[in-house]
Amino acid sequence: MELPKAYEQKEAEDKWYSFWESKGYFKGQINPKKKPFSIVIPPPNVTGGLHMGHALNNTLQDIAIRYKRMDGYSACWFPGMDHASIAVHVLIEKSLANRELDDLLREIGYPLPNDKRPLQRHDLGRDYFMKLGWAWKARYGHRIREQLRALGCSCDWERERFTMDEGLSNAVKEVFVRLYEEGFIYYGERLVNWCPRCMTTLSDLEVEREEQEAQIYFIRYPLAEGKGFITIATTRPETMLADTGVAVHPDDERYQELIGKSVILPLMNRKIPIVGDEAVDREFGTGALKVTPGHDPVDFEIGRRHGLKIISIFNKDATTNDEAGKYQKLDRYVARERVVEDLKSAGLLDRIEKHKHAIGHCQRCNTVVEPLLSPQWFMRMEELAKPAIKVVETNDVEFIPDRWKKIYFDWMLNIRDWPISRQLWWGHRIPAWHCADCHEITVARKAPAKCAKCGSSKLEQDPDVLDTWFSSALWPFSIMGWPTETPDLKYFYATSLLSTGHDIIFFWVARMIMMGLHFRKKIPFQKVFFHPIIKDAKGQKMSKSKGNVIDPLEMKEEYGMDALRFTLAALTAKGKEMRLAKDEIEGYRRFLNKLWNASRFTLINLAGFDPSAAAPKKSELTLEDRWILSRLNRVIAETRESLESYDFNVTAKGLYDFVWHDFCDWYLELIKPRFYEGAAAGAKQSAQYVLHQTLTDILKLLHPFIPFITEEIYQKLPGKEAESIMISEFPTSLKSWLDESSEKKVRAIQSLITAIRTIRAEMNIPPQKPAKVLLKIGDKSIQKLVKEYELFFKELAQTEELTVDAQIERPKSSPVMVLEFGEVFLPLEGLIDIPKEKARLRQEMEQARKLLDSTLRKLNNKEFLEKAPAEIIEKEKSKAQEFKEKLERLEQNLALLMSSN
């Protein structure tokens, strides 16, 4: 059962995932005798491969599901993917233009042209475009599925769903029809965010606002009656062509006499009224606002209040239409240049000033968004939001960390109607039919034969599709088969946990809560864990253009998936972001090597061990045995507590410290003499029992984090309880094994041994040279402890003579380490070449001074303190303290050697 010298990660990862899947361990069983624990995966978009953010979130979900499965729950992780309407649409159109999808086009039977001209979706038509979308999904869906497997995700693949498969499409239709019948969904003409590149409506959440340097134009509008003019300020002079009024604040004394009068719109010679409206900001520009109801949401509302005409001068591609008069058929920015030139020529441009303001961009293609008047489908949100606010207020849905509640409430309490239609082809087509005769709309679950209003058969389905987030909002119950009342819904809904990023609280989390409460009368999930957003080591967003992207599959090849998983978990604090560098992954791979080597040592020394033999009594165990079992049971309790609260980093750090330090550095070293030839049989057998028990529990505790290596080692253990560690029982802490007395004794021994080791290292004493050590300790119980366990000092601190007493004087040429309960002296005579050691110490002091000076210069630099992130500043402060303490120790050691002459 011996382990090989090196862990072959690739072989183990492929072997064990196939084994788990073939055994059906991932399948969630409906078992009334067990508590359910369910997670629905945040469905990855079928836009390409998975990035490090996906690796993080799916690692955390897998940790949770593996832990609960081992802890006796009927655990089920529902996998699936999202059709990502606009994102996939943009990618397909771009790929068509570059002729990168010819292989898929041949696959779907599309007759390709002989030349290599760019293709557009309209060349294909809607039917072929949809077929291409499904072919795209097959290609990238397969890739994503394999990547999730590579991550070790223990999803129930038999329950995998796609947001556009038949069952989920039926759910979408059912929800749309019901909401329409209930008056929540309506069709109307409103001002919407329009992307001229994607040629579709966008919700406010799909518009990213960027602060940019722009210009503000001050334009004179001549008064229609008498002489004079009113000067308005605008950042978009081209939209003045669609002005239907000028607005001022009714309390603004500068303009009160003008309210009710009119101006002549420059360039268009149209008479438009001056109105008083409290929405006008008196401090912006001149305090006079040009009102363009067709191209600005604030102006739209002002226009509605005052009955102003709505004019739209833009086509859907952001070129000007015939309403722009002589400026028609121009790109919007060209139109701006022409308008400004003509205003200058007419003497109506007062001035231009620099101005910073937020400009809305399409989240997908970064095109500047255009407010456009358009007939669209909308969803009333205010009534749906009220119960969703309440369940978060009462903690029925618990946010972890709870600081994200404030952002949730801020949005929900000010929620606006949601534009849910998109002018795309890939997605859920809206189940509404327009009548050519009476122009009424019939909304139905199935295509109607005739108009519900006039009975005409001249019906045409609405060409638009629903916003991707509409179907995503139904995910927790549609994935389980709703609207059919399935066994899965009865048993696994509401789900136990949702793990997601805080950047989609509004897009997804809020909408799932609203839809779950409305259609299931139950919350969709009990807890929401908001994981941090991954940045690079410098705190920058990862992007291909910056060259700082870390690919999870490349890390798998280089370091193994377990190393990546453990790194991600260890860095997941409950903050807004986390920083990831390759050297972090390298560091945690060393931890896996440490575990592997400790397991090799254990298995070699378990030769002849009979796990079925009677366990020794606690009283028969040695101090080090009682200590490690006490520490193990504390760590088990701490691990359970931190996993339950989703403190993944706390769990990872606790396990790392226990395995590396307590188990490997101390326990394995302390018990080695019990395996030497000639050691007492009873001492060896009890050590074997404790070794077996401790390693078994370590592997189980670590399994949710590093499933592959723990399975590989577990399979070699004698007397294992289950055919796979994945279905073994998660350890439970036993109070009977907690032993504060043993822990206190071992802590004292560790402090003394560490002090001796520190002196040896600082004074450069060769490891092979045994040393005489004197311990000045007044506490008789510790004196007794040292004498009883003198062997530990010989083995771990290379002592040849150990003297312990309360009255010891510090010998000549003896460095000292002061501890809480005493002092450690180590005479140097005969151990080192003192002149040579003085030279070494001086050299190290010089190096330490340089490092300290460099760090202090940085910390005294005002620019560094203003620009550097808080974590970097803290790191530099810690380094400065570390260098300072090292320098002090070196100075003390040199002074000691100088005084010994």
Side-chain angles (χ1 to χ4, degrees):
M1 303 303 284
E2 194 174 319
L3 288 173
K5 282 188 177 180
Y7 170 56
E8 297 295 335
Q9 61 204 35
K10 189 178 186 313
E11 180 187 331
E13 288 169 8
D14 294 343
K15 172 177 66 178
W16 294 121
Y17 197 90
S18 298
F19 172 75
W20 296 326
E21 199 169 6
S22 68
K23 291 288 186 178
Y25 295 152
F26 301 163
K27 187 167 178 59
Q29 303 290 345
I30 295 174
N31 185 348
K33 293 180 181 178
K34 284 187 175 184
K35 284 185 179 179
F37 184 89
S38 57
I39 300 175
V40 294
I41 196 171
N45 294 340
V46 286
T47 46
L50 301 183
H51 52 66
M52 194 58 80
H54 291 113
L56 168 65
N57 194 17
N58 287 295
T59 293
L60 300 181
Q61 290 171 84
D62 196 48
I63 290 169
I65 209 84
R66 284 179 183 270
Y67 161 57
K68 288 295 184 178
R69 191 184 286 121
M70 292 174 73
D71 202 31
Y73 287 75
S74 185
C76 188
W77 187 7
F78 291 80
M81 287 168 243
D82 197 293
H83 66 283
S85 181
I86 190 169
V88 169
H89 217 284
V90 168
L91 286 171
I92 289 179
E93 288 196 275
K94 186 179 176 182
S95 301
L96 278 174
N98 296 331
R99 295 298 293 273
E100 294 167 351
L101 297 179
D102 284 9
D103 58 333
L104 288 185
L105 289 170
R106 290 189 194 95
E107 190 180 301
I108 64 172
Y110 176 72
L112 283 165
N114 294 325
D115 59 16
K116 281 290 182 181
R117 62 183 171 84
L119 292 174
Q120 296 181 343
R121 63 162 156 154
H122 293 286
D123 295 326
L124 272 67
R126 188 163 194 147
D127 287 346
Y128 270 119
F129 191 88
M130 288 299 291
K131 287 179 182 177
L132 181 59
W134 281 101
W136 174 285
K137 180 262 173 184
R139 170 179 289 179
Y140 289 103
H142 173 74
R143 183 178 298 179
I144 289 167
R145 195 178 299 112
E146 291 311 302
Q147 287 176 324
L148 288 170
R149 285 185 159 97
L151 280 167
C153 296
S154 55
C155 303
D156 185 344
W157 295 110
E158 292 179 19
R159 286 181 165 96
E160 183 188 349
R161 305 297 291 272
F162 177 58
T163 50
M164 272 175 61
D165 68 25
E166 186 180 356
L168 274 74
S169 294
N170 288 337
V172 168
K173 288 175 193 170
E174 183 66 28
V175 165
F176 187 94
V177 172
R178 284 200 208 175
L179 289 173
Y180 179 79
E181 290 170 350
E182 292 167 1
F184 287 105
I185 287 178
Y186 63 94
Y187 188 72
E189 193 169 48
R190 296 284 186 280
L191 203 64
V192 296
N193 302 304
W194 182 267
C195 175
R197 161 64 184 79
C198 299
M199 297 290 278
T200 185
T201 310
L202 304 172
S203 72
D204 290 343
L205 295 174
E206 294 167 298
V207 177
E208 292 185 345
R209 303 202 173 272
E210 296 176 18
E211 192 83 10
Q212 290 185 346
E213 195 73 51
Q215 291 177 314
I216 186 166
Y217 302 81
F218 293 81
I219 306 167
R220 301 186 184 105
Y221 283 34
L223 297 172
E225 299 89 11
K227 293 181 180 180
F229 51 80
I230 187 168
T231 302
I232 64 91
T234 180
T235 57
R236 300 201 62 195
E238 69 279 9
T239 63
M240 67 176 289
L241 306 173
D243 284 2
T244 55
V246 171
V248 296
H249 197 283
D251 298 332
D252 193 333
E253 294 177 358
R254 295 173 293 176
Y255 304 116
Q256 279 179 334
E257 292 181 2
L258 295 177
I259 295 171
K261 295 184 178 180
S262 301
V263 295
I264 300 300
L265 180 64
L267 308 181
M268 302 300 281
N269 290 318
R270 189 165 63 235
K271 191 176 180 181
I272 58 176
I274 299 171
V275 299
D277 197 286
E278 291 183 350
V280 177
D281 180 0
R282 284 180 278 186
E283 304 303 317
F284 177 77
T286 63
L289 175 75
K290 61 188 269 318
V291 183
T292 320
H295 294 294
D296 185 275
V298 174
D299 295 7
F300 180 79
E301 295 302 327
I302 293 173
R304 279 207 312 181
R305 286 193 288 274
H306 297 279
L308 301 180
K309 186 180 177 183
I310 298 173
I311 297 173
S312 179
I313 61 163
F314 290 127
N315 297 311
K316 290 183 176 179
D317 62 355
T319 58
T320 49
N321 59 28
D322 56 5
E323 290 282 4
K326 69 176 185 176
Y327 303 98
Q328 63 185 287
K329 296 182 181 177
L330 299 175
D331 175 81
R332 53 184 164 172
Y333 299 116
V334 175
R336 178 181 297 179
E337 291 171 8
R338 298 272 180 90
V339 164
V340 171
E341 285 172 15
D342 289 353
L343 287 169
K344 280 181 184 174
S345 300
L348 296 173
L349 185 64
D350 184 85
R351 66 189 187 277
I352 302 172
E353 293 179 358
K354 287 184 177 179
H355 176 67
K356 264 191 174 182
H357 71 128
I359 298 174
H361 292 72
C362 174
Q363 188 188 51
R364 291 296 171 189
C365 69
N366 207 37
T367 303
V368 173
V369 167
E370 193 63 56
L372 202 68
L373 194 66
S374 174
Q376 300 288 338
W377 290 91
F378 294 87
M379 187 166 158
R380 291 188 175 90
M381 303 301 292
E382 192 175 347
E383 285 304 309
L384 294 168
K386 287 176 182 175
I389 291 169
K390 186 177 179 182
V391 294
V392 176
E393 282 178 337
T394 57
N395 240 27
D396 290 339
V397 176
E398 182 185 351
F399 279 17
I400 305 169
D402 69 355
R403 67 170 169 272
W404 296 113
K405 282 182 178 181
K406 184 180 184 303
I407 293 172
Y408 175 85
F409 292 141
D410 286 348
W411 185 69
M412 293 288 274
L413 290 167
N414 297 286
I415 200 164
R416 297 167 63 182
D417 287 3
W418 174 17
I420 55 174
S421 47
R422 298 291 179 270
Q423 289 62 55
L424 306 168
W425 288 347
W426 176 248
H428 295 281
R429 194 165 178 180
I430 290 173
W433 285 261
H434 299 261
C435 178
D437 289 335
C438 72
H439 305 294
E440 285 294 322
I441 298 171
T442 301
V443 171
R445 292 165 180 83
K446 294 181 181 178
K450 58 185 181 180
C451 173
K453 177 81 172 183
C454 71
S456 170
S457 59
K458 293 179 183 177
L459 296 175
E460 186 174 339
Q461 188 172 359
D462 195 293
D464 294 351
V465 299
L466 288 162
D467 181 0
T468 296
W469 296 103
F470 188 93
S471 55
S472 299
L474 319 180
W475 186 245
F477 54 90
S478 64
I479 197 173
M480 296 187 193
W482 189 91
T484 303
E485 192 64 23
T486 62
D488 276 359
L489 273 170
K490 290 175 182 175
Y491 185 70
F492 286 116
Y493 188 91
T495 61
S496 310
L497 171 71
L498 174 74
S499 177
T500 187
H502 54 78
D503 52 337
I504 53 174
I505 289 178
F506 316 131
F507 281 116
W508 195 40
V509 178
R511 289 166 176 166
M512 281 191 288
I513 295 173
M514 286 186 270
M515 293 297 98
L517 290 170
H518 191 72
F519 288 98
R520 293 292 301 162
K521 309 303 177 193
K522 284 176 76 175
I523 55 172
F525 27 73
Q526 295 159 21
K527 295 183 180 184
V528 186
F529 176 77
F530 294 104
H531 65 72
I533 305 300
I534 295 187
K535 302 284 183 73
D536 71 5
K538 296 177 181 176
Q540 296 180 318
K541 187 176 180 181
M542 290 188 184
S543 68
K544 289 179 182 177
S545 61
K546 290 179 183 173
N548 63 349
V549 171
I550 301 177
D551 187 306
L553 294 185
E554 287 179 12
M555 296 304 98
K556 165 186 159 65
E557 292 302 313
E558 191 171 350
Y559 302 109
M561 190 50 73
D562 282 331
L564 176 61
R565 285 172 61 113
F566 201 81
T567 304
L568 293 172
L571 297 178
T572 301
K574 290 175 179 175
K576 287 186 179 180
E577 63 179 56
M578 61 183 274
R579 298 183 178 194
L580 179 66
K582 284 186 181 180
D583 58 2
E584 300 266 14
I585 307 170
E586 172 64 45
Y588 285 109
R589 183 173 68 172
R590 287 196 290 272
F591 171 68
L592 300 187
N593 290 340
K594 187 90 168 175
L595 173 66
W596 184 261
N597 290 331
S599 300
R600 284 191 77 236
F601 171 86
T602 299
L603 289 167
I604 288 167
N605 287 290
L606 286 181
F609 173 64
D610 180 7
S612 63
K617 295 175 183 176
K618 186 175 180 180
S619 58
E620 297 171 350
L621 296 177
T622 62
L623 171 65
E624 64 269 27
D625 291 341
R626 297 194 304 276
W627 166 73
I628 195 67
L629 289 174
S630 181
R631 287 288 304 124
L632 172 65
N633 280 275
R634 284 193 200 283
V635 167
I636 290 170
E638 290 163 3
T639 299
R640 282 181 167 274
E641 183 181 346
S642 53
L643 280 175
E644 290 293 340
S645 58
Y646 301 106
D647 288 299
F648 295 100
N649 61 320
V650 174
T651 315
K653 185 181 185 307
L655 292 173
Y656 179 98
D657 289 344
F658 175 72
V659 173
W660 191 294
H661 301 300
D662 290 352
F663 184 63
C664 298
D665 288 351
W666 287 101
Y667 183 69
L668 296 187
E669 296 301 319
L670 290 171
I671 64 168
K672 277 181 180 177
R674 291 159 70 181
F675 292 101
Y676 293 164
E677 191 173 337
K684 178 180 177 180
Q685 286 167 3
S686 60
Q688 286 181 319
Y689 167 80
V690 175
L691 260 181
H692 181 265
Q693 182 64 49
T694 306
L695 180 60
T696 300
D697 281 352
I698 283 172
L699 295 174
K700 289 180 181 183
L701 293 169
L702 283 169
H703 176 73
F705 293 83
I706 47 175
F708 299 109
I709 192 171
T710 50
E711 185 73 89
E712 183 77 10
I713 299 167
Y714 182 82
Q715 292 294 332
K716 301 287 187 181
L717 284 177
K720 56 184 182 293
E721 72 188 66
E723 66 176 349
S724 167
I725 192 170
M726 192 180 153
I727 57 168
S728 66
E729 190 176 328
F730 200 80
T732 300
S733 179
L734 300 174
K735 287 185 179 178
S736 58
W737 281 109
L738 297 179
D739 189 337
E740 182 56 45
S741 172
S742 294
E743 289 190 47
K744 187 178 179 182
K745 288 176 181 177
V746 172
R747 277 197 299 271
I749 292 170
Q750 287 174 324
S751 297
L752 291 165
I753 289 174
T754 301
I756 298 167
R757 285 172 165 177
T758 302
I759 294 172
R760 293 185 68 106
E762 287 187 353
M763 302 311 297
N764 214 21
I765 299 169
Q768 69 273 15
K769 282 194 175 182
K772 294 177 181 178
V773 175
L774 296 90
L775 305 177
K776 184 179 180 180
I777 298 170
D779 188 324
K780 292 191 180 301
S781 65
I782 298 179
Q783 288 182 12
K784 182 184 176 186
L785 183 70
V786 169
K787 291 172 183 174
E788 188 176 350
Y789 293 99
E790 189 172 348
L791 179 62
F792 290 164
F793 291 84
K794 287 183 178 178
E795 290 289 327
L796 275 68
Q798 291 78 48
T799 61
E800 65 176 352
E801 188 178 311
L802 196 62
T803 305
V804 56
D805 198 273
Q807 305 302 322
I808 291 176
E809 293 296 322
R810 180 179 177 182
K812 185 181 176 184
S813 302
S814 293
V816 60
M817 285 287 285
V818 180
L819 302 177
E820 185 184 346
F821 51 80
E823 294 175 84
V824 178
F825 306 123
L826 198 156
L828 297 175
E829 193 175 342
L831 292 175
I832 58 170
D833 181 332
I834 290 180
K836 192 175 177 182
E837 185 58 21
K838 287 178 184 176
R840 184 189 71 81
L841 286 171
R842 288 191 182 100
Q843 188 177 353
E844 280 201 29
M845 283 166 60
E846 184 62 28
Q847 188 181 4
R849 272 196 204 96
K850 284 180 181 177
L851 290 169
L852 179 59
D853 289 346
S854 171
T855 308
L856 290 175
R857 275 197 302 272
K858 201 178 283 187
L859 289 169
N860 291 326
N861 185 319
K862 190 177 177 183
E863 189 178 352
F864 170 76
L865 294 175
E866 286 173 355
K867 292 183 178 179
E871 310 92 78
I872 299 296
I873 294 171
E874 283 305 312
K875 196 172 181 180
E876 291 300 315
K877 286 180 178 177
S878 297
K879 279 165 62 176
Q881 185 62 29
E882 185 184 318
F883 296 144
K884 187 181 176 185
E885 289 173 1
K886 182 176 181 180
L887 187 59
E888 286 172 355
R889 285 198 309 273
L890 291 168
E891 287 171 344
Q892 288 169 5
N893 291 339
L894 181 61
L896 172 77
L897 293 183
M898 297 298 289
S899 67
S900 66
N901 286 350

